[in-house]
Amino acid sequence: MMAAFIEKTGFSVVSLIIPQARLHNCLKQVLSQWPYKVIQFDCRGTMIREHWFQAFLPTMNPECEYLQLLVCDKDLSAFVQFCIEVNDLHLPGSGAIFSTQCSYFSTNSEFNLLIDRSQTQERSLQDTSAISLKNNLYALYALVQSGRTDNAIKAAMQAGSHGPIVYFVEGRGTRDRVSWLKITKKPYEEVVMVLVEDIDRERVKEALVSAGRINTLGGGIVFEISIEHGLVNLPTSISNKSRLASNQQITAAVDQLMGSTDWRDTRSIATLLDKNQRSKEQADTQKSSSLCALIPRKHADEFLDYILSIGIPGANVIYTKLFSGDDDQNAQHLNFHHELVQIRMVLPTEQCAHFRSQLQQFVTLQGYRNVTIYALTVKGVARYQLKPREKSKGAVYRGSSSIAD
């Protein structure tokens, strides 16, 4: 019997970034205290050296773990505070946590990625109310070619972002439809994810587009997702040991004293007016969504071929592990281990429902089980798009509907 998709509402994607050394304890605490599954994939952080004479040295890349969970909105506040406490995320350089509400969710999964609040138990937490979460954050995702990653992350940090997170993806697009073009296509690319305050968002996005050469043919894509609540303490630099505080800590302290981040914006009136005009133009452009599918790895190639056959122009693929509290334990007493693939497509919102329905029908006809499909609202997209009136500039940053090859 083929499992039907069940739609649910009132859930959010919680992303947790922690040092690799904290993974075991974090998984143990979360899986023993909460009924949620944990999706994990490897990533690396980035830090730059502050001394000018060290500029020629490559960036430092400490290994991190990127965890994602689909959490009931009624549990969200308590769960986030729990993760902050377990991982000491209030300390400088300890990591980050943020949440984004799903605009759509459905699953035919037996893994029970989501469990209703009625099935959970009330938990008592230590008083962490003094830790305030920010609600003016954005996550910028830049899919860039591997050789341009270092330039992109340095430019982002110089423009005001927290330390970027980098992870590998496999890109699929138009070249995969023509066999002989695959020879010229690199199988792996990198995603640079940066977390920024709203005041720095445009500046960091422009830095990523320029340094990552997004404004060139086949240069990649940048899109942004609004974060409802978040706490970011990702390291950005290796400070002088004799210094009492890093630039990141000093900036955070001034934000608190000034009561906002507005003091950072030192641009001219003309620049601010131009920013307002760009914001107005963005509001009039086509809205986009990030449509994500979690599917067992053994079905990934067939599923991706179908994605391209129905007219979806591109997707990126991340290989993940699913940890749970009710499977067989491994030697380290961690419960896992289902290999999944996370497939992300950036599409116009008006087309999202149509493609989503087609994907669900295909999964049902093929008899795939344990498939989850959800969508997040995308605030803005930047990619190369040639237009006659802008040939001299070479790029258009708004209204894109796909991931570039």
Side-chain angles (χ1 to χ4, degrees):
M1 181 178 179
M2 292 179 290
F5 278 88
I6 300 174
E7 296 184 8
K8 295 190 177 185
T9 58
F11 291 95
S12 295
V13 176
V14 176
S15 298
L16 176 62
I17 302 166
I18 55 175
Q20 191 179 56
R22 290 184 177 268
L23 177 64
H24 177 83
N25 181 63
C26 179
L27 288 174
K28 180 179 178 180
Q29 295 292 334
V30 170
L31 296 177
S32 64
Q33 297 294 321
W34 296 87
Y36 300 114
K37 313 298 183 181
V38 182
I39 302 165
Q40 176 264 336
F41 51 95
D42 297 326
C43 65
R44 58 183 173 91
T46 49
M47 295 188 293
I48 58 175
R49 296 170 174 86
E50 290 188 340
H51 296 295
W52 64 269
F53 55 84
Q54 296 175 321
F56 65 92
L57 296 174
T59 56
M60 295 292 293
N61 304 129
E63 292 187 4
C64 300
E65 298 294 344
Y66 191 171
L67 309 179
Q68 285 190 343
L69 302 95
L70 293 162
V71 177
C72 175
D73 287 346
K74 294 179 180 179
D75 282 345
L76 188 59
S77 178
F79 180 77
V80 169
Q81 293 293 344
F82 176 86
C83 290
I84 291 173
E85 176 187 334
V86 167
N87 297 286
D88 294 326
L89 294 179
H90 61 286
L91 299 177
S94 57
I97 188 169
F98 58 93
S99 65
T100 303
Q101 189 170 46
C102 295
S103 58
Y104 175 85
F105 173 85
S106 66
T107 184
N108 70 355
S109 176
E110 295 176 343
F111 296 148
N112 288 326
L113 288 170
L114 302 173
I115 296 181
D116 293 334
R117 177 65 177 173
S118 59
Q119 300 178 37
T120 67
Q121 298 178 355
E122 296 291 340
R123 294 167 178 80
S124 59
L125 297 175
Q126 296 180 8
D127 183 14
T128 56
S129 58
I131 303 174
S132 59
L133 302 179
K134 292 187 175 182
N135 55 10
N136 63 340
L137 293 173
Y138 283 81
L140 304 184
Y141 295 85
L143 178 64
V144 299
Q145 295 181 13
S146 298
R148 303 171 184 173
T149 304
D150 281 349
N151 289 337
I153 61 181
K154 287 180 180 178
M157 284 189 280
Q158 290 168 357
S161 82
H162 296 272
I165 297 299
V166 182
Y167 55 89
F168 282 102
V169 298
E170 181 180 338
R172 296 292 180 93
T174 53
R175 292 189 184 185
D176 294 275
R177 304 177 200 175
V178 183
S179 58
W180 61 271
L181 280 178
K182 290 183 180 181
I183 300 174
T184 65
K185 182 177 182 293
K186 294 181 180 180
Y188 296 103
E189 297 172 283
E190 289 184 304
V191 171
V192 179
M193 185 195 76
V194 296
L195 301 172
V196 296
E197 283 85 1
D198 187 37
I199 194 72
D200 299 318
R201 177 167 55 101
E202 284 296 326
R203 186 163 54 246
V204 173
K205 184 177 179 181
E206 290 170 1
L208 286 170
V209 168
S210 177
R213 298 176 65 186
I214 304 298
N215 54 349
T216 60
L217 184 62
I221 185 173
V222 176
F223 62 94
E224 56 192 78
I225 294 178
S226 177
I227 295 173
E228 294 181 356
H229 304 288
L231 179 65
V232 186
N233 274 317
L234 293 170
T236 59
S237 62
I238 303 173
S239 301
N240 190 334
K241 292 183 179 180
S242 62
R243 186 177 299 176
L244 295 178
S246 67
N247 290 341
Q248 182 183 4
Q249 291 172 280
I250 294 171
T251 301
V254 176
D255 285 346
Q256 187 173 5
L257 289 173
M258 298 297 290
S260 71
T261 58
D262 294 342
W263 65 274
R264 300 188 200 175
D265 202 333
T266 58
R267 290 169 287 178
S268 65
I269 296 297
T271 305
L272 291 174
L273 290 175
D274 181 58
K275 176 185 175 182
N276 292 336
Q277 179 63 28
R278 289 199 306 269
S279 298
K280 183 178 179 180
E281 290 175 358
Q282 286 182 347
D284 296 333
T285 58
Q286 193 176 43
K287 295 182 179 179
S288 300
S289 294
S290 172
L291 183 63
C292 298
L294 288 167
I295 186 168
R297 186 167 180 171
K298 61 183 178 180
H299 302 314
D301 288 339
E302 190 175 28
F303 188 75
L304 284 164
D305 289 341
Y306 180 74
I307 284 175
L308 299 180
S309 72
I310 61 176
I312 295 177
N316 64 52
V317 182
I318 311 169
Y319 297 98
T320 73
K321 300 183 184 72
L322 178 69
F323 290 81
S324 66
D326 52 11
D327 299 319
D328 293 333
Q329 291 186 342
N330 65 4
Q332 288 76 38
H333 303 288
L334 286 178
N335 300 295
F336 74 110
H337 166 108
H338 300 281
E339 291 189 343
L340 299 181
V341 170
Q342 184 188 71
I343 301 172
R344 172 180 278 159
M345 302 146 276
V346 179
L347 303 166
T349 300
E350 61 182 18
Q351 298 178 11
C352 194
H354 169 70
F355 284 126
R356 185 181 69 217
S357 176
Q358 287 187 286
L359 294 177
Q360 290 172 335
Q361 290 177 12
F362 175 77
V363 168
T364 302
L365 288 174
Q366 296 297 318
Y368 298 165
R369 304 184 71 87
N370 306 319
V371 177
T372 299
I373 296 175
Y374 64 93
L376 304 174
T377 300
V378 173
K379 295 294 184 181
V381 179
R383 71 180 290 249
Y384 180 90
Q385 185 179 15
L386 185 64
K387 288 187 177 181
R389 66 182 178 83
E390 296 195 36
K391 284 185 178 180
S392 60
K393 296 182 181 179
V396 173
Y397 298 158
R398 307 176 186 91
S400 168
S401 62
S402 66
I403 291 180
D405 276 323

